[in-house]
Amino acid sequence: MEGAGGGNSLPSTSGADAVKRRVSYFYDPDVGNYYYGLGHPMKPHRIRMTHSLLEKYGLLDRMKVIHPQLARDRDLCAFHTDDYVAFLQSAKPETLTNPCVARRFNITDDCPVFYRLFEFCQTYTGASVDAAKELNRCNADIVINWSGGLHHAKRSEASGFCYVNDIVLAILKLLENHDRVLYVDIDIHHGDGVEEAFLTTDRVMTVSFHKFGEYFPGTGHILDNGYGKGKYYAVNVPLNDGIDDESYHYLFKPIIAKVMEVFNPDAVVLQCGADSLSGDRLGCFNLSVKGHAECVRYLRSFNVPLMLLGGGGYTLRNVARCWCYEVYWSLHVEVNDKMPDHEYLGYYGPDYNIHVATSNMENKNSRKSLDDIKAKILDNL
């Protein structure tokens, strides 16, 4: 296998089927009903659109489909503070009248209190924690929860459309059975909440590829690389506007290869934020669906237990395209570019294909800047 020796290998099947993986997919049919509010770019409906595509392509029959349990308040308190969880549990749009309370927990237009907010947090977090348990029990080689990946949430406050950090809670669950967990983030925004949670430990390495410079959340400088026992266990890859597939993988593959070699993780969590795709409503990168999915394919090739999570992504039709195609790569089956007829087909016109052309935007990442970033990071590793 490509990348063999980079991590602790799964038991492989024999012959040509060595490329196959046992995939468990976590989905709650209610997740698409949650609504941040009029005009808000975060729309959980994209999870239902993705699921519909997977169903019509026949991919659900190739995976174990699991309805996750709701996370309990005490599950959330494994990372979040008691008072913050209590606030989320009781928060309702009609009762949030104290501006001091709103400020304390960073409740803003980005992170509004909406109807059934706590249930939403329980739903996506429960799916990520259950996915971690599935890996812990060796019941799957790859687990998928597209409703998860909310990487900005802090221990005691909301941030960047994120309320509960399901990624941190999933990694904490993985650490119960695995010595070392690697977290990789390909969302256009820095994975600040996850990095901050594990900044001082050497059992979790965080690697984030993100837009840096006057861009939310403003963290993720290349020199930010951990603290204390966790020094050099945080890796930040700052990128500029317009990065395309070739430039992205010029950094991604050698950096990930080196990380797998030196850290030797027992499990990998990949946050697949789709706002790094070309044409995203809030993004400024120029990745194709194939280029984004190549990150999944490359990490899959190391044959280490793998968790795939969602994240950002605000052009709904492209999010569903991307995550559907990444399930194809997880299963290693052929993909038909022309979409089957289904209830959301109208979103994908006029071509109705999985793959769409990238834009002609300028790539502001020069080869010299990429070489400098790569050299600095590989030297630290």
Side-chain angles (χ1 to χ4, degrees):
M1 291 296 293
E2 182 178 348
N8 292 342
S9 293
L10 298 162
S12 61
T13 54
S14 58
D17 282 339
V19 295
K20 300 297 182 187
R21 300 287 189 277
R22 298 169 300 154
V23 180
S24 293
Y25 167 77
F26 293 79
Y27 178 73
D28 187 323
D30 200 33
V31 74
N33 294 331
Y34 298 104
Y35 182 59
Y36 276 63
L38 186 65
H40 199 290
M42 177 63 102
K43 300 186 187 301
H45 177 62
R46 66 205 177 127
I47 314 301
R48 185 157 46 199
M49 289 175 60
T50 304
H51 184 81
S52 181
L53 262 186
L54 295 175
E55 182 179 33
K56 293 303 179 182
Y57 268 117
L59 294 180
L60 298 182
D61 297 332
R62 296 171 176 264
M63 304 183 283
K64 181 174 19 169
V65 179
I66 299 174
H67 189 298
Q69 301 292 313
L70 293 179
R72 301 161 299 182
D73 52 354
R74 65 176 178 270
D75 297 326
L76 308 186
C77 291
F79 171 61
H80 294 284
T81 58
D82 293 350
D83 57 346
Y84 177 54
V85 172
F87 164 76
L88 291 175
Q89 203 166 11
S90 62
K92 292 179 175 56
E94 63 272 16
T95 59
L96 187 65
T97 56
N98 187 336
C100 294
V101 172
R103 278 197 300 272
R104 178 183 174 193
F105 298 117
N106 199 31
I107 300 303
T108 62
D109 290 344
D110 276 358
C111 298
V113 169
F114 55 85
Y115 178 58
R116 296 169 64 205
L117 168 61
F118 190 65
E119 285 180 39
F120 174 60
C121 297
Q122 289 179 292
T123 299
Y124 74 77
T125 303
S128 293
V129 172
D130 279 1
K133 292 176 182 176
E134 185 83 347
L135 288 183
N136 284 352
R137 295 168 184 149
C138 300
N139 288 340
D141 307 320
I142 299 174
V143 292
I144 301 171
N145 171 30
W146 292 134
S147 68
L150 276 67
H151 58 170
H152 294 306
K154 306 300 195 299
R155 188 164 181 261
S156 58
E157 66 178 42
S159 178
F161 314 160
C162 306
Y163 300 88
V164 169
N165 201 313
D166 64 290
I167 307 170
V168 171
L169 291 164
I171 291 174
L172 290 172
K173 183 59 64 176
L174 287 172
L175 289 172
E176 293 177 8
N177 286 65
H178 300 84
D179 289 334
R180 295 174 306 283
V181 176
L182 171 65
Y183 172 70
V184 181
D185 192 315
I186 59 173
D187 193 292
I188 195 172
H189 301 95
H190 178 232
D192 57 335
V194 184
E195 178 184 285
E196 184 179 302
F198 298 110
L199 199 64
T200 60
T201 181
D202 58 1
R203 292 187 63 198
V204 178
M205 179 174 278
T206 60
V207 184
S208 179
F209 297 80
H210 52 269
K211 158 75 176 169
F212 183 76
E214 296 184 5
Y215 200 74
F216 183 87
T219 51
H221 192 282
I222 193 170
L223 297 179
D224 296 337
N225 52 25
Y227 184 76
K229 205 173 178 182
K231 187 71 172 175
Y232 300 119
Y233 286 85
V235 178
N236 283 299
V237 186
L239 304 169
N240 212 333
D241 294 8
I243 193 161
D244 56 20
D245 294 354
E246 181 185 0
S247 297
Y248 198 90
H249 288 287
Y250 183 73
L251 291 180
F252 185 87
K253 290 182 178 179
I255 289 171
I256 293 299
K258 189 67 174 176
V259 164
M260 296 299 284
E261 175 192 338
V262 300
F263 186 57
N264 191 30
D266 301 302
V268 177
V269 176
L270 176 61
Q271 196 265 23
C272 302
D275 47 7
S276 45
L277 289 172
S278 180
D280 187 78
R281 177 178 169 186
L282 300 185
C284 55
F285 283 179
N286 201 23
L287 295 183
S288 70
V289 167
K290 285 183 179 177
H292 197 277
E294 178 65 12
C295 299
V296 174
R297 187 208 66 80
Y298 190 64
L299 276 166
R300 181 188 187 275
S301 75
F302 287 89
N303 210 24
V304 174
L306 177 62
M307 178 184 296
L308 303 181
L309 299 174
Y314 308 102
T315 301
L316 272 62
R317 60 188 180 275
N318 290 346
V319 176
R321 284 177 162 117
C322 182
W323 290 347
C324 177
Y325 189 65
E326 287 171 349
V327 170
Y328 268 103
W329 261 119
S330 302
L331 294 165
H332 203 78
V333 296
E334 293 297 320
V335 57
N336 185 349
D337 189 33
K338 187 61 68 177
M339 288 185 180
D341 188 21
H342 67 292
E343 60 185 316
Y344 302 117
L345 186 64
Y347 280 78
Y348 303 98
D351 297 325
Y352 308 102
N353 293 334
I354 286 284
H355 299 291
V356 290
T358 55
S359 80
N360 62 353
M361 70 186 300
E362 178 189 358
N363 182 356
K364 295 184 178 179
N365 300 268
S366 68
R367 183 52 62 97
K368 181 182 184 307
S369 71
L370 297 176
D371 283 333
D372 290 346
I373 290 168
K374 183 166 67 170
K376 177 66 176 174
I377 289 172
L378 294 180
D379 183 55
N380 283 347
L381 286 168

